[in-house]
Amino acid sequence: MIGFLVNQLGKIKTFQGFIFAGTFILSISWFADGLIGVIGFLLKGWFWGAIALLSVIPPVVVFWIYKNIYKKPTYETALFISALLTIALTFILPVLKLYLNWEIDSTIPIIQLFLSLGIFTSSWLYIKELDINISIKKVEPKDVRGLVMFLSYWKEIPKSLSNDLLEFKKPDDFHKHRGGPWEMQLRLIEKYSDTLKFVYVIGSNSSKEQISIFKEIVKHFFPNIEVIEHYEAIDFEELDKNIDALKKAFENLREKGLKDKQIIIDTTGGQKIQSIAGAFYSSTYDRYFAYVSTNTKDVKVFDVIMGEGER
């Protein structure tokens, strides 16, 4: 769940979302400062230690109220109000100290620990009950500079393919006369050939040796595009291996100066496992996956959007 929150942080666009995110970040700092201060109180004696220990009561009360009295909508409102209170106190406390000569240094750690524990407890309760809704939106990226592809195995590849390439000037003509399983990959490359710089190709245990042939075909029709070969063959049946290969592909393309939103994962090649891996990995903010229809030949690019479902 933490990974989901981190990945989706870039999609926070509402005022309430910014308040929650800012409060959570602020609470991390407040918790550390408050905890150190409270430990100092504990070392001073039982009186200050007792006062410090009182700071754990509010989160317990919040938990009890949440479990026994309030419904979720009321709880969500209470969390929002407490978030606003935390941010407000961040500015109010220094003002009180400066202009009213209020000696609050001794109480600030308790206030910090009090609020940070309350926010953490409230956030945990909220996330614990959160129902994640996944939707897929069709998009039209404008600046595509990298494609990541899983290469299918060509069972009956023509032996004279290198010489045959000289006969064709367009990928479409090549598809009609030579066929093969790479038609959709070439159509995707052709669609973005005006901006495309790199094609990262991942091969299976059987198709890895054919990447050099695929590279030759791409170079013939798109001489300005660089084909990058994944360093090892992977088992297309192992989902974790596919996801790890996608991770390596993005790392490689980032080193070449590309941003995630400039990279598209092609889920047409390979098997269903590759489609699952591509869709899953692109669920992070600003990542897209593409599918080329075998019926209409249309290129479709999707953005996986995660949000809060029905509660």
Side-chain angles (χ1 to χ4, degrees), residues 144-152 185-186 188-189 196-204 207-208 210-212 214-215 218-219 224-234 236 241-256 258 262-270 274 281:
V144 178
R145 301 191 181 187
L147 293 177
V148 182
M149 298 181 162
F150 294 95
L151 194 68
S152 300
Q185 278 79 10
L186 291 176
L188 183 58
I189 294 172
L196 194 62
K197 301 296 182 184
F198 305 100
V199 176
Y200 191 100
V201 184
I202 303 169
S204 66
S207 67
K208 176 74 163 62
Q210 296 181 340
I211 292 181
S212 58
F214 179 77
K215 183 185 298 186
V218 173
K219 279 295 181 182
N224 296 324
I225 296 175
E226 178 183 346
V227 178
I228 304 171
E229 181 177 349
H230 191 59
Y231 63 94
E232 65 177 357
I234 67 169
F236 275 10
K241 299 294 184 183
N242 286 266
I243 293 176
D244 185 62
L246 289 173
K247 180 181 178 182
K248 298 294 184 183
F250 270 73
E251 289 175 354
N252 186 290
L253 293 175
R254 287 194 200 106
E255 290 176 356
K256 297 183 178 297
L258 274 64
Q262 296 175 317
I263 305 170
I264 293 179
I265 302 171
D266 174 39
T267 62
T268 311
Q274 283 65 61
Y281 194 77

Side-chain angles (χ1 to χ4, degrees), residues 165 168-179 182-191 193 217-218 220-222:
L165 280 174
F168 308 108
K169 295 183 178 181
K170 296 181 179 180
D172 198 43
D173 296 332
F174 175 78
H175 303 324
K176 291 178 181 178
H177 294 85
R178 291 296 178 267
W182 303 335
E183 176 184 355
M184 304 310 164
Q185 278 79 10
L186 291 176
R187 287 187 180 277
L188 183 58
I189 294 172
E190 186 174 24
K191 178 176 176 64
S193 58
I217 295 174
V218 173
H220 174 74
F221 293 113
F222 313 101

Side-chain angles (χ1 to χ4, degrees), residues 78-132:
L79 175 59
F80 181 60
I81 293 174
S82 64
L84 287 175
L85 178 61
T86 302
I87 293 179
L89 285 175
T90 304
F91 298 97
I92 292 174
L93 291 178
V95 171
L96 291 175
K97 180 180 179 181
L98 181 63
Y99 292 101
L100 299 182
N101 295 319
W102 182 21
E103 297 297 332
I104 58 174
D105 288 349
S106 60
T107 56
I108 283 180
I110 295 178
I111 294 174
Q112 289 177 318
L113 191 61
F114 170 90
L115 285 174
S116 61
L117 285 175
I119 290 296
F120 291 151
T121 305
S122 302
S123 301
W124 171 69
L125 292 171
Y126 185 76
I127 294 172
K128 183 172 176 286
E129 299 293 334
L130 194 62
D131 180 23
I132 302 301

Side-chain angles (χ1 to χ4, degrees), residues 136 246 265 267 273-284 287-289 303-304 306:
I136 299 178
L246 289 173
I265 302 171
T267 62
I273 292 291
Q274 283 65 61
S275 299
I276 295 171
F280 179 81
Y281 194 77
S282 63
S283 62
T284 299
R287 289 183 191 164
Y288 310 115
F289 73 94
D303 182 17
V304 179
M306 292 187 179

Side-chain angles (χ1 to χ4, degrees), residues 265-268 275 289-294 298-302:
I265 302 171
D266 174 39
T267 62
T268 311
S275 299
F289 73 94
Y291 176 78
V292 184
S293 173
T294 55
D298 291 337
V299 175
K300 300 179 180 180
V301 182
F302 301 98

